[in-house]
Amino acid sequence: MLKKLGRRLSRLSSHIISQILQKKKRRPRPPSPIPVPLPSPSPPPSPPKMPHHPKYPPAPFLFPKAQSTVLPDPSPFFSPRLLSSPLPTNSFFQNFVLKNGDQPEYIHPYLIKSLNSSLSISFPSRFATPAYIYQTFNADLTISSPSSDSSKNHIISSCDDLSVTLDLPPSLRFFLVRGSPFVTCSTLAGPAPISISTIHAILSVVSNASSTKHTFRLNSDQTFLCYSSSPLYLTQSNVSLLTAQNFSGVIRIAFLPDPSYESVLDRFSACYPVSGDASFSRPFCLEYKWETKGWGDLLLLAHPLHLRLLSLDDSCVTVLRDFKYRSIDGELVGVVGDSWVLKTEPTSVTWHSIKGASEDGYPEINSALSKDVGALSSIATTSSYFYGKAIARAARLALIAEETCFPDVIPAVQSFLRDSITPWLDGSFGGNAFLYDPKWGGLVTKQGSVDSGADFGFGVFNDHHYHLGYFLYAIAVLAKLDPAWGRKYRRQAYALVADFMTLSRKPEANYTRLRCFDLWLLHSWAGGLTEFADGRNQESTSEAVNAYYAAALMGLSYGDSHLVAIGSTLAAFEIRAAETWWHVREGEGMYEDDFSRENRVVGVLWANKRDSGLWFAPAEWRECRMGIQVLPLLPITEVLFRDVRFVKELVDWTLPALGREGVTEAWKGFVYAMEGVYDKESALAKVRALNGFDDGNSLSNLLWWIHSRDEDEEGVVGWVRGCWFEKYCH
């Protein structure tokens, strides 16, 4: 009877989830923050729009407006019709709207740069050393129109999940679609003169009889193909310049990596994408759809993670395995079709360890819990990052106590969390505060609103998922322990989620869509409104995973299965991306051999660079490089480091660094935690000898981790077992 009841409840839970879904760092260590007066509250903006849930009607927004002195003005680069909506702050095209807008962005497979009313295309060369890999920009081809006003900025006329449209008024519009082997340009207002130039010498121009296809051969040993929807009569004005008069229509330019690819590019040159949408149709599933013009089928390029996740059963696509472009993210392979379905393995979000801590370890863990809980005291820092870590650390103690059947310490943790979190949500915390910026549409901190370096740049939208992820973890635990408190502060809690997890595309939303998560690369970016020559960046994948995991836990606390599903799905994609690009395996071919031999984890991953160093430490500090990819240590860490063989390679690579003078106990703890995945007894002995811990970690947490490892597991840990959503993902 109990089994039947359990099955019925499981089916009911799954049905509810399905129905809801069908409805619809920069991180250098900062100086001591200087307290500033809280701005006078302004009239509250509209209610937060995400996460939407029928149980939670709109309510007044409770964070006051910011009067930021550090945020850039978006109006010079965004179309006026976009300025009334929340704007992207951590996007793949962010450089186009910062400062002069003239730094390049990597829109696979090209580096794109807009300068002086022209747009330059580079198929980048790649340079690799044991310390870093980067792609270099050269203006291989530059497209412009003499009729364009060089005194005016380019304008972002539209943007979406998979593309950005950039205008050079009044003549040209570029559809910059991620993964397109073509760069597509159209005239805006009737015939316009066209100029195509290069920093190289043009060796030859070969045109077809109708002047709708031209082949450019350059002295850089590069060949580009140029297609046009109507005759484009080019004249070579000098060794590096081609011009045409009175052209009207569409121009498409593609680099030719291999002469055998020309027939493929010819075949698909007439169908071009103008926008792209990504949607979560069901848990652990992401669907791409592109709007196209022209005729024929759409050719795009898929990166390695796309290819692993592409569901051929659900997608009407053809994969061209022998059609490849080089990229810093691995080989890009041709895919024909205007709709893709990507599926990742489902993962359950759990409060406690997946397999449970060994009962033999309970006494040791509980002894440590008594000391750690007894030592809880008021939090000294006003930094939103370090404060978040402190409350999340305390929340871990309550969950560990639940798992080890030690309820005596939970009331003290609950009281500490209530006293520590509430001031940030009701505005009574004197040293700092969350504020709302209506200019870009998002939360900033009081300190960050006047100092772009405060709170690791939170005030310019750096690291939002990191900071807020820690807050959400603590809020989720407290709402679980104290539902009445959770109900009281539900609106503020959901505002924190909405800041970086809004799904809404509606112009009246308060927050930009998925602020940090890149729906094409399938991982997050931490870098916000700061111009970088190599584009956006992210250092810690584990803190990114924590953000979405914590949001899913909050969904569990509030009975919000939609939030559980979205948080779990984003965490699952982030994990797969970390395994693909941050976890370095020698011999797999993702990176050059020199880099792969020297590194087991990437330090900072940039859109256009891979760096072994960290924002706060050199590459030689391997314990920091490992630790920043592990912290915070949580049940979801079991999934992030499910490949036991890789974990052993990672630890073996890191351990020699612990002999360096000045290595702190805090970073050693994470190394020993990973060692515990495959050598429990050795790790236990080392953890017991530690005399210090990271400010987001504790002895209790390390002991819990090691006592919940399964020494019998070999190879890749099976982490799909017991997943609520598994039946909806296959």
Side-chain angles (χ1 to χ4, degrees), residues 160-187:
D160 49 55
D161 299 331
L162 307 175
S163 75
V164 60
T165 302
L166 184 148
D167 293 351
L168 300 179
S171 304
L172 300 180
R173 167 167 291 172
F174 291 86
F175 301 104
L176 303 177
V177 178
R178 308 178 79 183
S180 174
F182 302 91
V183 173
T184 304
C185 168
S186 72
T187 52

Short mmCIF file of all heavy atoms in Angstrom, two decimals, residues 160-187:
data_model
loop_
_atom_site.label_atom_id
_atom_site.label_comp_id
_atom_site.label_asym_id
_atom_site.label_seq_id
_atom_site.Cartn_x
_atom_site.Cartn_y
_atom_site.Cartn_z
N ASP A 160 18.78 39.27 -28.97
CA ASP A 160 18.03 38.16 -28.43
C ASP A 160 19.01 37.11 -27.93
O ASP A 160 20.21 37.38 -27.77
CB ASP A 160 17.07 37.58 -29.48
CG ASP A 160 17.74 37.32 -30.82
OD1 ASP A 160 18.75 36.59 -30.83
OD2 ASP A 160 17.26 37.83 -31.85
N ASP A 161 18.51 35.91 -27.69
CA ASP A 161 19.34 34.88 -27.06
C ASP A 161 20.53 34.47 -27.92
O ASP A 161 21.58 34.11 -27.39
CB ASP A 161 18.49 33.63 -26.79
CG ASP A 161 17.34 33.91 -25.84
OD1 ASP A 161 17.48 34.80 -25.00
OD2 ASP A 161 16.30 33.22 -25.96
N LEU A 162 20.37 34.49 -29.24
CA LEU A 162 21.36 33.88 -30.12
C LEU A 162 21.93 34.85 -31.15
O LEU A 162 22.71 34.43 -32.01
CB LEU A 162 20.74 32.68 -30.84
CG LEU A 162 20.09 31.61 -29.94
CD1 LEU A 162 19.41 30.54 -30.79
CD2 LEU A 162 21.10 30.98 -29.01
N SER A 163 21.56 36.13 -31.08
CA SER A 163 22.04 37.07 -32.09
C SER A 163 21.95 38.50 -31.59
O SER A 163 21.28 38.80 -30.60
CB SER A 163 21.22 36.93 -33.38
OG SER A 163 19.93 37.52 -33.23
N VAL A 164 22.62 39.39 -32.31
CA VAL A 164 22.49 40.83 -32.09
C VAL A 164 22.47 41.49 -33.46
O VAL A 164 23.18 41.06 -34.38
CB VAL A 164 23.64 41.37 -31.21
CG1 VAL A 164 25.00 41.13 -31.86
CG2 VAL A 164 23.45 42.85 -30.93
N THR A 165 21.64 42.50 -33.61
CA THR A 165 21.55 43.24 -34.86
C THR A 165 22.18 44.61 -34.65
O THR A 165 21.77 45.36 -33.76
CB THR A 165 20.09 43.40 -35.32
OG1 THR A 165 19.52 42.09 -35.47
CG2 THR A 165 20.01 44.13 -36.65
N LEU A 166 23.19 44.92 -35.46
CA LEU A 166 23.96 46.16 -35.31
C LEU A 166 23.80 46.99 -36.57
O LEU A 166 24.04 46.51 -37.68
CB LEU A 166 25.43 45.80 -35.06
CG LEU A 166 26.41 46.93 -34.77
CD1 LEU A 166 27.51 46.45 -33.82
CD2 LEU A 166 27.07 47.43 -36.07
N ASP A 167 23.39 48.23 -36.38
CA ASP A 167 23.15 49.14 -37.50
C ASP A 167 24.26 50.18 -37.59
O ASP A 167 24.74 50.70 -36.57
CB ASP A 167 21.82 49.87 -37.34
CG ASP A 167 20.62 48.94 -37.44
OD1 ASP A 167 20.81 47.76 -37.80
OD2 ASP A 167 19.50 49.39 -37.12
N LEU A 168 24.64 50.50 -38.83
CA LEU A 168 25.52 51.63 -39.12
C LEU A 168 24.68 52.66 -39.87
O LEU A 168 24.57 52.60 -41.10
CB LEU A 168 26.72 51.19 -39.97
CG LEU A 168 27.63 50.12 -39.36
CD1 LEU A 168 28.76 49.78 -40.33
CD2 LEU A 168 28.19 50.57 -38.02
N PRO A 169 24.02 53.57 -39.14
CA PRO A 169 23.08 54.49 -39.79
C PRO A 169 23.81 55.39 -40.80
O PRO A 169 24.96 55.78 -40.58
CB PRO A 169 22.54 55.30 -38.61
CG PRO A 169 22.87 54.51 -37.39
CD PRO A 169 24.12 53.78 -37.70
N PRO A 170 23.12 55.72 -41.89
CA PRO A 170 21.74 55.32 -42.21
C PRO A 170 21.68 54.17 -43.21
O PRO A 170 20.60 53.88 -43.72
CB PRO A 170 21.19 56.59 -42.85
CG PRO A 170 22.38 57.14 -43.61
CD PRO A 170 23.60 56.81 -42.78
N SER A 171 22.82 53.52 -43.49
CA SER A 171 22.87 52.68 -44.67
C SER A 171 22.85 51.18 -44.44
O SER A 171 22.23 50.43 -45.20
CB SER A 171 24.12 53.02 -45.49
OG SER A 171 24.15 54.38 -45.82
N LEU A 172 23.55 50.67 -43.38
CA LEU A 172 23.82 49.24 -43.28
C LEU A 172 23.29 48.64 -41.99
O LEU A 172 23.30 49.29 -40.93
CB LEU A 172 25.32 48.98 -43.39
CG LEU A 172 26.02 49.43 -44.68
CD1 LEU A 172 27.50 49.10 -44.61
CD2 LEU A 172 25.36 48.80 -45.90
N ARG A 173 22.89 47.41 -42.07
CA ARG A 173 22.45 46.62 -40.91
C ARG A 173 23.15 45.25 -40.97
O ARG A 173 23.15 44.60 -42.02
CB ARG A 173 20.94 46.44 -40.91
CG ARG A 173 20.42 45.38 -39.93
CD ARG A 173 18.92 45.47 -39.76
NE ARG A 173 18.56 46.69 -39.04
CZ ARG A 173 17.31 47.12 -38.87
NH1 ARG A 173 16.30 46.43 -39.39
NH2 ARG A 173 17.07 48.22 -38.18
N PHE A 174 23.71 44.83 -39.84
CA PHE A 174 24.41 43.55 -39.75
C PHE A 174 23.64 42.61 -38.82
O PHE A 174 23.33 42.98 -37.67
CB PHE A 174 25.83 43.74 -39.23
CG PHE A 174 26.74 44.43 -40.19
CD1 PHE A 174 26.80 45.82 -40.23
CD2 PHE A 174 27.51 43.70 -41.08
CE1 PHE A 174 27.62 46.47 -41.13
CE2 PHE A 174 28.34 44.34 -41.99
CZ PHE A 174 28.40 45.73 -42.02
N PHE A 175 23.34 41.43 -39.31
CA PHE A 175 22.72 40.38 -38.50
C PHE A 175 23.86 39.47 -38.00
O PHE A 175 24.38 38.64 -38.76
CB PHE A 175 21.72 39.58 -39.32
CG PHE A 175 20.60 40.41 -39.89
CD1 PHE A 175 20.58 40.75 -41.24
CD2 PHE A 175 19.57 40.87 -39.08
CE1 PHE A 175 19.56 41.51 -41.77
CE2 PHE A 175 18.54 41.64 -39.60
CZ PHE A 175 18.53 41.97 -40.94
N LEU A 176 24.26 39.66 -36.76
CA LEU A 176 25.38 38.92 -36.18
C LEU A 176 24.82 37.76 -35.37
O LEU A 176 24.40 37.93 -34.23
CB LEU A 176 26.23 39.85 -35.32
CG LEU A 176 26.76 41.10 -36.05
CD1 LEU A 176 27.53 42.00 -35.09
CD2 LEU A 176 27.63 40.71 -37.25
N VAL A 177 24.79 36.60 -36.00
CA VAL A 177 24.15 35.43 -35.42
C VAL A 177 25.24 34.45 -34.99
O VAL A 177 26.13 34.11 -35.77
CB VAL A 177 23.19 34.77 -36.43
CG1 VAL A 177 22.57 33.52 -35.83
CG2 VAL A 177 22.12 35.77 -36.84
N ARG A 178 25.16 34.00 -33.77
CA ARG A 178 26.20 33.16 -33.20
C ARG A 178 26.24 31.80 -33.91
O ARG A 178 25.20 31.17 -34.10
CB ARG A 178 25.96 32.99 -31.70
CG ARG A 178 25.80 34.33 -31.01
CD ARG A 178 25.52 34.21 -29.55
NE ARG A 178 26.75 33.93 -28.81
CZ ARG A 178 26.80 33.72 -27.51
NH1 ARG A 178 25.67 33.73 -26.80
NH2 ARG A 178 27.95 33.49 -26.90
N GLY A 179 27.44 31.41 -34.29
CA GLY A 179 27.59 30.14 -34.96
C GLY A 179 27.32 30.18 -36.44
O GLY A 179 27.34 29.13 -37.09
N SER A 180 27.12 31.35 -37.01
CA SER A 180 26.89 31.41 -38.45
C SER A 180 28.24 31.52 -39.16
O SER A 180 29.05 32.39 -38.83
CB SER A 180 26.03 32.62 -38.82
OG SER A 180 25.94 32.73 -40.24
N PRO A 181 28.48 30.67 -40.17
CA PRO A 181 29.73 30.80 -40.93
C PRO A 181 29.73 32.02 -41.84
O PRO A 181 30.75 32.37 -42.42
CB PRO A 181 29.78 29.51 -41.75
CG PRO A 181 28.36 29.08 -41.88
CD PRO A 181 27.67 29.52 -40.63
N PHE A 182 28.57 32.68 -41.96
CA PHE A 182 28.43 33.89 -42.76
C PHE A 182 28.22 35.09 -41.83
O PHE A 182 27.51 35.00 -40.83
CB PHE A 182 27.21 33.81 -43.68
CG PHE A 182 27.20 32.66 -44.64
CD1 PHE A 182 26.60 31.46 -44.29
CD2 PHE A 182 27.75 32.78 -45.91
CE1 PHE A 182 26.55 30.40 -45.17
CE2 PHE A 182 27.70 31.73 -46.81
CZ PHE A 182 27.11 30.53 -46.44
N VAL A 183 28.79 36.22 -42.21
CA VAL A 183 28.40 37.51 -41.63
C VAL A 183 27.48 38.17 -42.65
O VAL A 183 27.84 38.33 -43.83
CB VAL A 183 29.62 38.40 -41.36
CG1 VAL A 183 29.18 39.79 -40.91
CG2 VAL A 183 30.49 37.76 -40.28
N THR A 184 26.28 38.53 -42.21
CA THR A 184 25.23 38.98 -43.12
C THR A 184 24.98 40.47 -42.94
O THR A 184 24.82 40.95 -41.81
CB THR A 184 23.93 38.20 -42.88
OG1 THR A 184 24.19 36.81 -43.01
CG2 THR A 184 22.85 38.62 -43.86
N CYS A 185 24.93 41.18 -44.05
CA CYS A 185 24.73 42.63 -44.05
C CYS A 185 23.63 42.97 -45.05
O CYS A 185 23.56 42.37 -46.13
CB CYS A 185 26.04 43.32 -44.44
SG CYS A 185 25.91 45.06 -44.84
N SER A 186 22.77 43.90 -44.68
CA SER A 186 21.74 44.35 -45.63
C SER A 186 21.72 45.87 -45.66
O SER A 186 22.09 46.54 -44.69
CB SER A 186 20.35 43.82 -45.23
OG SER A 186 19.89 44.47 -44.07
N THR A 187 21.30 46.40 -46.80
CA THR A 187 21.13 47.85 -46.89
C THR A 187 19.82 48.23 -46.21
O THR A 187 18.86 47.47 -46.20
CB THR A 187 21.13 48.31 -48.35
OG1 THR A 187 20.16 47.54 -49.08
CG2 THR A 187 22.50 48.11 -48.96
#
